[in-house]
Amino acid sequence: MVNENQHTCSASSSSRSDGSSSGSESSKDSSRCSTPVLDAERHERLREKMRRRQDSGDKWFSLEFFPPRTAGGAVNLISRFDRMGVGGPLFIDVTWHPAGDPGSDKETSSMMIASTAVNYCGLETILHMTCCSQTKDEITGHLQKAKRLGLKNIMALRGDPADEEWQEEVEGFNYAVDLVKHIRNEFDDYFDICVAGYPKGHPEAKNYEADLRHLKEKVLAGADFIITQLFFRSETFLKFMKDCQTIGINCPIVPGIFPIQGYHSLRQLVRLSKLEVPQEIKDVIEPIKDNDAAIRNYGVELAVSMCRELLDSGMVHGLHFYTLNREVATTEVLKRLGMWKEDPRRPLPWAVSAHPKRRVEDVRPIFWASRPKSYIYRTQEWDDFPNGRWGNSSSPAFGELKDYYLFYLKSKSPREELLKMWGEELTSEESVFEVFTCYITGEPNKNGHRVTCMPWNDDPLATETNLLKEQLEKVNRRGILTINSQPNINGKPSTDPIVGWGPSGGYVFQKAYLEFFASSEIVTALRKVLKKYETRVNYHIVNVKGQNITNAPDLQPNAVTWGIFPGREIIQPTVVDPVSFLFWKDEAFALWIEQWAKLYEEESPSRMIIQYIHDNYYLVNLVDNDFPLENCLWQVVDDTFELLN
Amino acid sequence: MVNENQHTCSASSSSRSDGSSSGSESSKDSSRCSTPVLDAERHERLREKMRRRQDSGDKWFSLEFFPPRTAGGAVNLISRFDRMGVGGPLFIDVTWHPAGDPGSDKETSSMMIASTAVNYCGLETILHMTCCSQTKDEITGHLQKAKRLGLKNIMALRGDPADEEWQEEVEGFNYAVDLVKHIRNEFDDYFDICVAGYPKGHPEAKNYEADLRHLKEKVLAGADFIITQLFFRSETFLKFMKDCQTIGINCPIVPGIFPIQGYHSLRQLVRLSKLEVPQEIKDVIEPIKDNDAAIRNYGVELAVSMCRELLDSGMVHGLHFYTLNREVATTEVLKRLGMWKEDPRRPLPWAVSAHPKRRVEDVRPIFWASRPKSYIYRTQEWDDFPNGRWGNSSSPAFGELKDYYLFYLKSKSPREELLKMWGEELTSEESVFEVFTCYITGEPNKNGHRVTCMPWNDDPLATETNLLKEQLEKVNRRGILTINSQPNINGKPSTDPIVGWGPSGGYVFQKAYLEFFASSEIVTALRKVLKKYETRVNYHIVNVKGQNITNAPDLQPNAVTWGIFPGREIIQPTVVDPVSFLFWKDEAFALWIEQWAKLYEEESPSRMIIQYIHDNYYLVNLVDNDFPLENCLWQVVDDTFELLN
């Protein structure tokens, strides 16, 4: 009598059903999460997510990357994570390069790249780890560090021996199964463990059957799922999968897909993996081996048709892509398969982090809207994330942002590029106004360069901000230098493509927000005007020295984005918080100097202009509390200019 | 440069200003409340409230009551607290009658009446306490009990000696000042302490000057403010006040106002207080001494003109009324003075409790909307009130509601009255439908009696529910027996006279809610209909045995009332909580038996009809999540009836 959507709760005092608490005797025992669950997957471990997707028939994909060689490569790879994260991978994985100091704190290490993916890009991430030729202590150290950094998943591998003379060590880590056992011994069930499967058998295995038995040992030792080596024909994988099932391997087995992207990369991979390329593929490729585009097109075609066969078999629920750190081919395959999420549903209006302790994080100050990685960095030491509201008395301090060159906070643009955008030579405050205006309009500056980023915003204008473009242009031209804004919204569907977020069937709301730098002359006039708007408009006005003028009642946070959803409590993910504003102010003022002034010679006129603005301008934020009415903040600004004239 | 509405926060890392945290170094030290402050007074102690009112020039009043003699009198007095609480007293006080076992658990004791006023009526309350002829241990015991019950204020009095032979005891409690010292010694600053002042001097004092010196001793010993004995001329008080100031008494001094309400009560009071009635008053009263109405009118006139003189003096900020447990005269005086709040602003949509540990309570399940005292009773053992959301895993169990005859939960109507309303004799389930329908319409039943209360609701229909009257009538007539409902609201001003609450300048919202009993036949049809409304409508359907059918996602609470206010986080004071619903269900079903069935003889047909409904009907609640659209719950009910036909 109870349909799929229903829970049946027992009435008796202490019994439970379906794992949901009946709560009759004591809600103290309740298993409910204390924060509203918007996105169930956010609270699940990887193997649970896989199971949920398998049960719902919702096909998924994952992406493999290797660590970059250079710091610049790291910056680019992190941007790629952000872009490819949009398509909705279930996870990514980062390979382990024993030669590249993979467990170190270097910005190019496997450990750092994986940690950045989890913490700053919000991606579920598997860190590869090899055990061959390493001591138990070294391995335990790596695992402890991974755990500390928020990594939850390990791909346990043997790795290639350092030299050909390799021999089994007694009591040592000789095979991947030793690493799996070690992880389970030392870390119990903390990590989800993935192991490698070889559809054609491991090249060093005695034979295919012996290799299958090794695989079963790894699973029995505690592996949760299997990702396979690449293969060229769907039959290869499907046969392998059936053989696995026959000998009792019942965990998920994910096919590794390698879209051929070029002649040389294919040859290299084949050499490393000791695989044979089928003749029919060679026949196509050899004649076009110097035509990269043609090979890539062929590779995409081939991958798409193989993936279709795999998915159609009904045995495959997810696809794992060897991306070779490239975007185009994999993205194209996924789009053709209809698996790339064109319209990703945002669970919250800001990018969530995947660190386990941030799972319950559901509110942030609006100030870091364009610098989420900086916010995550500065709050990484928090033990406990504010539960339901931001900035209560138990929340700890913000970390210092001393190093503006942390690789995941670095500007993607080099100095020369920035100078072209922000001016080789500044002649007046007005030339700074012009830079802001060009960023807003998207039109080229007087030297013909488009301004695609600003010190406070590494990306072009958000779609939502575009809604305010016309007004923003007008005010920036006159010296209201905007760095953050949002329009008011009085109940749009949560599925709205621009401003929507959260589960469907809900309604989202916003109070209009405007944040800008302005001269003390403008601020003096503004403060007179604001008296007319008392209670309707809340403001904070602060200079670099920190005098903060505000009418925020009792210094409480003001919720500026919230959503109402079926069957849930209210979610208020963005607030204007008076306390954190003073931390943000330090960062916002410092960016003038660190990112902009330092482009110029010391004592140069350009540098002195930026320094003058830094020293004398105010940072202002305004909230229009009357969200159902027309946004009055433009009127506030107009009144201010009128008073000045 | 900083106006009155502004806080100036220092920028330096650790300094503070205005008592508000600047938060630069660590928000851990923040003095901000962790729950949004809607009503600052709710978080202040009495002496702070007095100071705030004095600073703002907002005149206040307070009301004195004495404990009742009988249990029936207690029920009536608590209702009076609720009615007079509407007028907005700053506090009430309850006198201490040594002869009446004042510190006991009897429902008529001073302690119980004061505790009920605080906990169940949400009134700031002062408990009087006398010390004469009591041991230190007895007094400490009373104070500890008062603290445990949530009382925060004590009026420290000597009290009258038991016999004329009274003599000072060495080391004993001889005067009020001894009690003040004892409270400060034993309870530090926990209690606010009030002491009595005598504008004409205490009758037993050597002289007026000696009495003033005693008063100063009481203040020096730790009293926070003074309430005076009654007096008949404003000059008496004003002279007293000046004399107090002259000798250095600087705490608030509140004049005690006694509106003359009758010849006999005046004579009695005068005798007890050993005061002399001025000749000009005697001259008026004597000729009309048998005309109660005329005396009361005169008393009101006299009190109003004396209060005006006091207020006009600029020295008086609050007035304390000796009510003699009567409503009319005091209310009339206050209304004429313009001090009775005709349109009280509700800080939250439900009646808050004044127990200190409930100060942060800002969310409750909707189920107890008409039985707030029962909710407070059943959660009185909670140590900590859910902070920002209801029903998280740390909230403890509900207490049992075993005794349906606790005096503050008792029906105000006697059995004969209830029988007239609910039927001397029930003949069928339809005759029960008729009772529900008459309660909704306000029309007399077939015996000519109006149904002004129900087992689930001791008061006539709420104004808000009246908005739904027409539909409610229709569905009750057909056996959808409604016990709770609210209309949907899509952003009405927080000052709306019917549905508004919270500070002005905000907007309030509701999801439509409907809760009712219905037969299993109706419920079977309803469940079919509800499939059409999946995700839009959340439901819980439960019978007395406790089978609970619901589509609540992950058993999360659903916020059904919320408010958006300038400069604040979102407040969501009412939720439909799946866990607490199972506790409410027990109470809701029990009320059929305890309040209704038990009116009839055992085995009587009337009692069996109610018992049948109790055993076989379901309790259903429905929420329409689409608050911006027209409420669909009536359509759900119509569809159900259509399916049944």
Side-chain angles (χ1 to χ4, degrees):
Chain A
M1 286 299 291
V2 176
N3 73 31
E4 284 187 351
N5 291 314
Q6 296 169 336
H7 295 266
T8 303
C9 286
S10 165
S12 69
S13 293
S14 55
S15 68
R16 295 186 177 193
S17 57
D18 307 345
S20 18
S21 87
S22 74
S24 293
E25 190 147 279
S26 168
S27 55
K28 206 160 202 160
D29 301 328
S30 167
S31 61
R32 288 179 309 169
C33 181
S34 66
T35 202
V37 178
L38 271 180
D39 176 8
E41 280 202 349
R42 198 175 164 199
H43 295 264
E44 289 171 336
R45 45 197 303 168
L46 181 50
R47 65 191 183 210
E48 292 165 346
K49 293 182 190 179
M50 271 186 203
R51 197 173 309 126
R52 174 188 289 260
R53 295 289 187 101
Q54 180 165 340
D55 292 347
S56 68
D58 189 11
K59 305 294 186 226
W60 54 267
F61 68 93
S62 52
L63 304 170
E64 182 163 317
F65 300 92
F66 51 78
R69 294 223 182 89
T70 64
V75 173
N76 289 336
L77 184 59
I78 300 308
S79 306
R80 182 163 298 125
F81 287 171
D82 286 338
R83 288 192 300 273
M84 296 191 81
V86 167
L90 190 66
F91 62 88
I92 69 155
D93 57 332
V94 178
T95 59
W96 186 261
H97 286 209
D101 205 356
S104 75
D105 288 343
K106 285 200 304 194
E107 54 204 359
T108 55
S109 78
S110 302
M111 187 73 81
M112 281 303 107
I113 293 294
S115 158
T116 305
V118 166
N119 287 289
Y120 295 95
C121 307
L123 296 168
E124 181 80 56
T125 301
I126 302 178
L127 175 63
H128 289 221
M129 204 173 278
T130 62
C131 59
C132 181
S133 312
Q134 286 184 84
T135 69
K136 198 168 176 172
D137 283 353
E138 283 169 337
I139 290 171
T140 302
H142 290 323
L143 290 164
Q144 277 166 342
K145 184 169 183 177
K147 181 176 173 181
R148 203 168 55 243
L149 292 170
L151 290 158
K152 295 273 296 172
N153 314 292
I154 300 290
M155 173 111 174
L157 299 164
R158 185 184 75 160
D160 296 316
D163 54 62
E164 302 288 321
E165 304 298 299
W166 178 77
Q167 291 197 319
E168 280 195 25
E169 291 174 48
V170 181
E171 303 276 310
F173 290 89
N174 296 306
Y175 300 102
V177 67
D178 301 325
L179 179 53
V180 175
K181 284 177 186 163
H182 178 72
I183 297 173
R184 285 287 172 249
N185 279 339
E186 299 283 317
F187 294 87
D188 197 19
D189 201 33
Y190 177 79
F191 289 104
D192 277 16
I193 301 174
C194 174
V195 291
Y198 299 87
K200 290 274 200 184
H202 191 278
E204 291 173 27
K206 215 188 311 174
N207 55 39
Y208 179 74
E209 288 70 27
D211 193 51
L212 276 185
R213 284 194 302 274
H214 288 146
L215 183 57
K216 188 169 178 186
E217 277 171 34
K218 291 195 279 188
V219 174
L220 289 174
D224 296 296
F225 55 94
I226 296 161
I227 294 178
T228 77
Q229 179 56 290
L230 64 93
F231 51 89
F232 294 100
R233 295 188 183 117
S234 60
E235 311 88 82
T236 309
F237 176 81
L238 296 171
K239 175 183 181 303
F240 171 72
M241 188 144 179
K242 276 176 205 146
D243 293 338
C244 284
Q245 286 169 348
T246 306
I247 68 157
I249 296 173
N250 295 312
C251 68
I253 303 175
V254 187
I257 310 298
F258 173 70
I260 297 170
Q261 307 199 41
Y263 187 72
H264 295 286
S265 61
L266 175 63
R267 270 176 48 126
Q268 193 187 3
L269 201 82
V270 162
R271 188 171 50 77
L272 285 172
S273 59
K274 303 186 174 127
L275 289 173
E276 191 127 334
V277 179
Q279 193 55 46
E280 71 269 23
I281 294 179
K282 284 188 188 156
D283 289 347
V284 177
I285 282 185
E286 284 296 336
I288 55 170
K289 67 179 180 186
D290 297 321
N291 185 340
D292 285 351
I295 291 193
R296 199 171 57 210
N297 284 342
Y298 170 69
V300 166
E301 290 293 348
L302 199 67
V304 167
S305 73
M306 190 172 77
C307 290
R308 286 226 174 93
E309 287 162 24
L310 291 169
L311 295 169
D312 290 350
S313 74
M315 294 172 72
V316 171
H317 306 283
L319 302 168
H320 184 71
F321 285 85
Y322 294 105
T323 67
L324 303 185
N325 284 15
R326 296 189 202 155
E327 278 174 73
V328 178
T330 301
T331 308
E332 181 64 20
V333 172
L334 286 165
K335 285 183 175 169
R336 293 230 210 143
L337 292 170
M339 289 171 76
W340 186 263
K341 283 196 188 161
E342 283 302 328
D343 175 25
R345 300 285 311 124
R346 299 185 295 169
L348 286 169
W350 33 262
V352 301
S353 168
H355 192 293
K357 75 177 178 182
R358 297 187 90 116
R359 272 184 195 157
V360 294
E361 185 181 17
D362 63 0
V363 55
R364 286 188 189 167
I366 195 171
F367 317 121
W368 282 268
S370 299
R371 293 177 61 77
K373 291 189 176 70
S374 163
Y375 180 75
I376 293 168
Y377 173 75
R378 297 191 66 181
T379 59
Q380 66 185 339
E381 298 300 330
W382 291 12
D383 293 327
D384 190 25
F385 280 82
N387 178 3
R389 65 166 43 83
W390 194 89
N392 72 18
S393 54
S394 64
S395 65
F398 280 77
E400 291 294 318
L401 189 65
K402 283 182 192 139
D403 184 354
Y404 292 89
Y405 299 95
L406 288 171
F407 76 99
Y408 38 77
L409 295 176
K410 232 179 189 171
S411 174
K412 279 169 276 178
S413 311
R415 180 169 179 273
E416 316 78 67
E417 197 60 40
L418 296 176
L419 280 171
K420 280 181 192 159
M421 291 196 269
W422 302 345
E424 306 274 356
E425 210 181 313
L426 301 172
T427 52
S428 65
E429 290 168 64
E430 282 69 27
S431 52
V432 173
F433 301 175
E434 186 65 22
V435 176
F436 276 84
T437 308
C438 288
Y439 175 71
I440 297 293
T441 60
E443 280 160 24
N445 63 21
K446 60 175 189 264
N447 297 318
H449 294 281
R450 283 184 208 280
V451 182
T452 56
C453 68
M454 290 294 282
W456 304 270
N457 200 340
D458 212 27
D459 293 302
L461 220 54
T463 328
E464 186 192 18
T465 315
N466 258 309
L467 301 174
L468 308 171
K469 206 161 163 173
E470 204 174 306
Q471 287 104 330
L472 287 171
E473 178 187 347
K474 205 170 76 178
V475 306
N476 276 281
R477 222 176 264 293
R478 300 186 64 179
I480 298 264
L481 306 176
T482 60
I483 60 169
N484 195 354
S485 58
Q486 70 174 22
N488 58 320
I489 292 170
N490 185 17
K492 285 218 179 180
S494 59
T495 48
D496 183 279
I498 295 175
V499 299
W501 53 272
S504 60
Y507 296 90
V508 297
F509 292 80
Q510 291 180 178
K511 292 180 178 176
Y513 180 75
L514 192 61
E515 183 181 337
F516 54 86
F517 290 100
S519 68
S520 66
E521 190 192 4
I522 290 178
V523 163
T524 303
L526 174 68
R527 288 182 58 190
K528 284 191 191 121
V529 168
L530 282 170
K531 293 205 169 93
K532 278 202 313 186
Y533 292 86
E534 260 311 328
T535 80
R536 176 160 181 180
V537 175
N538 279 118
Y539 54 86
H540 293 85
I541 301 172
V542 66
N543 61 12
V544 73
K545 294 176 208 87
Q547 194 204 13
N548 185 22
I549 303 153
T550 178
N551 65 346
D554 308 308
L555 291 185
Q556 292 183 69
N558 190 352
V560 293
T561 301
W562 64 99
I564 318 295
F565 301 96
R568 286 182 171 83
E569 291 187 82
I570 287 147
I571 319 290
Q572 47 172 2
T574 320
V575 294
V576 169
D577 177 72
V579 175
S580 65
F581 183 61
L582 297 183
F583 292 92
W584 164 247
K585 165 282 280 179
D586 291 336
E587 185 170 333
F589 275 103
L591 288 165
W592 280 108
I593 304 300
E594 296 296 328
Q595 304 244 348
W596 199 337
K598 288 189 176 169
L599 295 177
Y600 309 106
E601 296 293 313
E602 278 187 50
E603 310 276 325
S604 66
S606 297
R607 185 150 177 172
M608 283 163 69
I609 286 167
I610 300 296
Q611 185 75 49
Y612 175 83
I613 290 177
H614 169 270
D615 294 347
N616 292 285
Y617 275 41
Y618 284 80
L619 179 62
V620 177
N621 75 47
L622 304 175
V623 175
D624 177 5
N625 287 299
D626 261 333
F627 62 95
L629 312 182
E630 201 190 337
N631 178 355
C632 75
L633 300 182
W634 306 116
Q635 192 58 51
V636 170
V637 174
D638 282 350
D639 291 359
T640 303
F641 286 128
E642 200 169 300
L643 192 63
L644 279 170
N645 286 349
Chain B
M1 285 299 289
V2 177
N3 74 30
E4 283 188 352
N5 290 314
Q6 296 168 334
H7 295 266
T8 303
C9 285
S10 165
S12 68
S13 292
S14 55
S15 69
R16 295 184 178 195
S17 58
D18 306 346
S20 17
S21 88
S22 75
S24 293
E25 189 145 279
S26 167
S27 56
K28 206 160 202 162
D29 302 327
S30 167
S31 62
R32 288 178 309 168
C33 182
S34 65
T35 203
V37 178
L38 271 179
D39 176 8
E41 280 202 348
R42 200 174 161 199
H43 294 265
E44 290 171 335
R45 44 196 306 167
L46 180 51
R47 64 190 183 211
E48 292 165 346
K49 293 182 190 181
M50 268 186 206
R51 198 173 310 127
R52 173 189 288 261
R53 295 290 187 101
Q54 180 165 341
D55 292 347
S56 68
D58 188 11
K59 304 295 187 223
W60 54 267
F61 68 93
S62 52
L63 304 170
E64 182 163 316
F65 299 92
F66 52 79
R69 295 223 182 88
T70 63
V75 173
N76 289 335
L77 184 59
I78 299 308
S79 307
R80 182 163 298 126
F81 287 170
D82 286 338
R83 287 192 301 272
M84 296 191 81
V86 168
L90 189 67
F91 63 88
I92 70 155
D93 59 332
V94 178
T95 61
W96 185 260
H97 285 209
D101 207 355
S104 74
D105 288 342
K106 285 198 306 191
E107 55 205 358
T108 54
S109 78
S110 301
M111 188 73 82
M112 282 303 109
I113 293 294
S115 159
T116 305
V118 166
N119 287 288
Y120 296 93
C121 306
L123 295 168
E124 181 79 58
T125 301
I126 302 178
L127 175 63
H128 289 220
M129 204 172 278
T130 63
C131 59
C132 179
S133 313
Q134 286 185 82
T135 68
K136 198 168 178 174
D137 284 353
E138 284 170 334
I139 289 171
T140 302
H142 290 323
L143 289 164
Q144 278 166 342
K145 184 169 183 176
K147 181 177 174 182
R148 201 166 59 243
L149 292 170
L151 289 157
K152 294 273 298 173
N153 314 293
I154 300 290
M155 173 111 176
L157 298 163
R158 185 183 76 159
D160 296 315
D163 55 59
E164 303 287 321
E165 303 299 297
W166 176 79
Q167 290 197 322
E168 279 194 28
E169 289 175 51
V170 183
E171 303 277 309
F173 290 90
N174 297 306
Y175 299 102
V177 67
D178 301 325
L179 179 53
V180 175
K181 285 178 185 163
H182 178 72
I183 297 173
R184 284 286 173 250
N185 279 339
E186 300 283 317
F187 295 86
D188 196 18
D189 202 34
Y190 177 79
F191 289 105
D192 278 16
I193 302 174
C194 173
V195 291
Y198 299 87
K200 291 274 201 184
H202 191 279
E204 291 174 26
K206 217 189 307 173
N207 56 39
Y208 179 75
E209 287 71 26
D211 194 50
L212 275 186
R213 283 195 303 275
H214 288 145
L215 183 58
K216 187 169 177 186
E217 277 171 33
K218 292 194 279 188
V219 174
L220 288 174
D224 295 296
F225 55 96
I226 296 162
I227 294 178
T228 77
Q229 180 57 288
L230 65 93
F231 51 88
F232 294 98
R233 294 187 183 116
S234 59
E235 311 88 79
T236 310
F237 177 82
L238 296 171
K239 172 182 182 303
F240 171 71
M241 189 146 178
K242 275 177 205 145
D243 293 337
C244 284
Q245 287 169 348
T246 306
I247 68 157
I249 296 174
N250 295 313
C251 68
I253 303 174
V254 187
I257 310 296
F258 174 70
I260 297 169
Q261 307 199 41
Y263 186 73
H264 295 287
S265 62
L266 175 64
R267 269 176 51 125
Q268 195 187 4
L269 202 85
V270 163
R271 186 173 51 77
L272 285 172
S273 59
K274 302 184 174 128
L275 289 174
E276 192 127 335
V277 178
Q279 193 56 45
E280 71 267 23
I281 295 179
K282 285 187 189 157
D283 290 346
V284 179
I285 283 184
E286 284 295 336
I288 56 171
K289 68 180 180 185
D290 297 321
N291 184 341
D292 284 352
I295 290 189
R296 198 170 59 212
N297 285 342
Y298 171 68
V300 167
E301 289 293 348
L302 200 66
V304 167
S305 72
M306 190 171 78
C307 289
R308 287 226 172 93
E309 287 163 22
L310 291 169
L311 295 169
D312 290 350
S313 74
M315 295 173 73
V316 171
H317 306 284
L319 301 169
H320 183 72
F321 285 84
Y322 294 105
T323 68
L324 304 184
N325 285 17
R326 296 187 202 156
E327 280 175 68
V328 179
T330 300
T331 308
E332 180 65 21
V333 172
L334 285 165
K335 285 182 175 170
R336 291 227 211 147
L337 292 170
M339 291 172 75
W340 186 264
K341 282 195 187 161
E342 283 302 327
D343 175 26
R345 300 281 315 124
R346 299 187 295 170
L348 286 170
W350 34 262
V352 301
S353 168
H355 193 294
K357 75 177 177 183
R358 297 188 89 117
R359 269 182 197 157
V360 295
E361 185 180 18
D362 62 1
V363 54
R364 286 187 189 168
I366 195 171
F367 317 121
W368 282 268
S370 299
R371 292 177 61 78
K373 291 188 176 69
S374 165
Y375 180 75
I376 292 167
Y377 173 74
R378 296 190 68 181
T379 58
Q380 65 186 342
E381 298 301 329
W382 291 12
D383 292 328
D384 190 24
F385 279 82
N387 178 4
R389 66 167 43 83
W390 194 88
N392 71 19
S393 54
S394 65
S395 66
F398 280 77
E400 291 294 317
L401 189 65
K402 283 181 193 139
D403 184 355
Y404 292 88
Y405 299 96
L406 288 171
F407 74 98
Y408 38 77
L409 296 175
K410 236 180 190 172
S411 173
K412 280 169 273 180
S413 310
R415 179 169 179 274
E416 316 79 67
E417 197 62 40
L418 295 176
L419 280 170
K420 281 181 192 158
M421 291 196 267
W422 302 344
E424 306 274 356
E425 211 180 313
L426 301 171
T427 53
S428 66
E429 290 168 63
E430 282 69 28
S431 52
V432 173
F433 302 176
E434 185 64 24
V435 176
F436 276 83
T437 309
C438 288
Y439 174 71
I440 297 292
T441 60
E443 278 160 26
N445 63 19
K446 61 176 189 261
N447 296 317
H449 294 282
R450 285 184 206 282
V451 181
T452 56
C453 67
M454 291 294 281
W456 304 270
N457 199 339
D458 212 27
D459 294 302
L461 220 53
T463 328
E464 186 193 17
T465 316
N466 259 309
L467 302 174
L468 309 170
K469 205 162 166 173
E470 205 174 306
Q471 288 103 326
L472 287 170
E473 177 186 349
K474 205 171 75 178
V475 306
N476 277 281
R477 223 175 263 293
R478 299 184 65 179
I480 297 264
L481 306 177
T482 60
I483 60 170
N484 196 354
S485 57
Q486 70 175 21
N488 58 320
I489 292 170
N490 185 17
K492 285 218 178 179
S494 58
T495 47
D496 183 279
I498 295 173
V499 299
W501 53 273
S504 61
Y507 295 90
V508 298
F509 292 79
Q510 291 180 181
K511 291 180 178 176
Y513 179 76
L514 192 60
E515 183 181 338
F516 54 85
F517 290 99
S519 67
S520 64
E521 190 192 4
I522 290 178
V523 163
T524 303
L526 174 67
R527 288 182 57 190
K528 286 194 189 115
V529 168
L530 282 170
K531 293 205 169 93
K532 280 202 309 186
Y533 292 87
E534 261 311 327
T535 81
R536 175 157 182 182
V537 175
N538 279 116
Y539 54 87
H540 293 86
I541 302 173
V542 66
N543 62 10
V544 73
K545 295 175 208 90
Q547 195 205 9
N548 184 21
I549 302 153
T550 178
N551 65 347
D554 307 307
L555 291 186
Q556 291 183 67
N558 190 351
V560 292
T561 301
W562 64 99
I564 317 295
F565 301 97
R568 286 183 171 81
E569 291 186 84
I570 287 148
I571 319 289
Q572 49 171 0
T574 320
V575 295
V576 169
D577 177 73
V579 175
S580 67
F581 183 60
L582 297 183
F583 292 93
W584 164 248
K585 165 281 284 182
D586 291 337
E587 183 170 333
F589 275 103
L591 288 165
W592 280 108
I593 305 299
E594 296 296 328
Q595 303 246 346
W596 198 337
K598 287 189 176 171
L599 295 176
Y600 308 107
E601 296 293 314
E602 276 185 50
E603 311 276 324
S604 66
S606 296
R607 184 151 177 173
M608 284 163 69
I609 287 167
I610 300 297
Q611 185 75 48
Y612 176 84
I613 290 177
H614 169 271
D615 295 346
N616 292 285
Y617 275 39
Y618 284 79
L619 180 62
V620 177
N621 74 49
L622 304 175
V623 175
D624 177 5
N625 288 300
D626 261 334
F627 62 94
L629 312 182
E630 202 189 335
N631 178 356
C632 74
L633 300 182
W634 306 116
Q635 192 58 49
V636 170
V637 173
D638 281 351
D639 291 358
T640 303
F641 285 129
E642 199 169 300
L643 192 64
L644 280 171
N645 285 349

